[in-house]
Amino acid sequence: MRSKDKNSYQVGLIAEWRARWYLRLHGFRIVASRYTTGRYTGRAEIDIIARRKNLIVFIEVKSRPRLDLAWGAISTRQSARLRAAAETYLTRIGWRGDARFDVIAVCGRHIHWVQGAL
């Protein structure tokens, strides 16, 4: 199947799969994929939650042809919802370690990982 035959949902799933493998190659264990908060929390979805030692990372994955377009796809409102979802998750598991928000932009064959992005 050629990339122009894929819909945006399929492209997003492939980008998330690539991001998970990329994180594994960098020593992270994937804790959750497509984590969605409960009914009354704004229904934010965190694409990937990964852990390495005493660090949990919440990752937003964007698949765009260019990096600037990937950045532009993350709104202030979405960023706030992701933070609320992450706080809910950390409270639920009783996490006492470090946490951060990253963005992985999949642009064609290239993967751009921006740590501490949100």
Side-chain angles (χ1 to χ4, degrees):
M1 184 182 305
R2 295 179 307 201
S3 62
K4 67 180 180 180
D5 296 331
K6 295 177 187 168
N7 64 35
S8 61
Y9 178 77
Q10 291 170 319
V11 170
L13 289 178
I14 292 168
E16 288 175 21
W17 179 83
R18 290 181 62 197
R20 286 192 302 273
W21 273 106
Y22 191 78
L23 289 163
R24 285 184 187 110
L25 289 173
H26 285 85
F28 283 88
R29 181 174 58 86
I30 305 304
V31 176
S33 293
R34 312 189 92 213
Y35 172 81
T36 305
T37 57
R39 173 179 251 172
Y40 301 106
T41 59
R43 294 221 183 225
E45 179 183 277
I46 299 171
D47 293 329
I48 301 170
I49 302 173
R51 179 177 176 183
R52 183 171 61 194
K53 298 182 183 175
N54 197 36
L55 172 67
I56 282 188
V57 182
F58 300 94
I59 299 112
E60 177 66 16
V61 179
K62 292 295 181 188
S63 178
R64 299 291 188 277
R66 296 189 331 252
L67 185 58
D68 61 327
L69 296 174
W71 271 128
I74 302 171
S75 69
T76 305
R77 183 171 179 248
Q78 180 185 18
S79 185
R81 283 194 354 241
L82 290 171
R83 285 193 177 280
E87 288 173 8
T88 300
Y89 179 82
L90 292 173
T91 300
R92 185 177 62 81
I93 67 167
W95 183 252
R96 300 266 185 247
D98 295 325
R100 73 170 188 235
F101 293 87
D102 294 356
V103 171
I104 293 181
V106 179
C107 304
R109 293 184 302 186
H110 301 285
I111 295 176
H112 305 275
W113 182 13
V114 182
Q115 299 176 15
L118 301 179

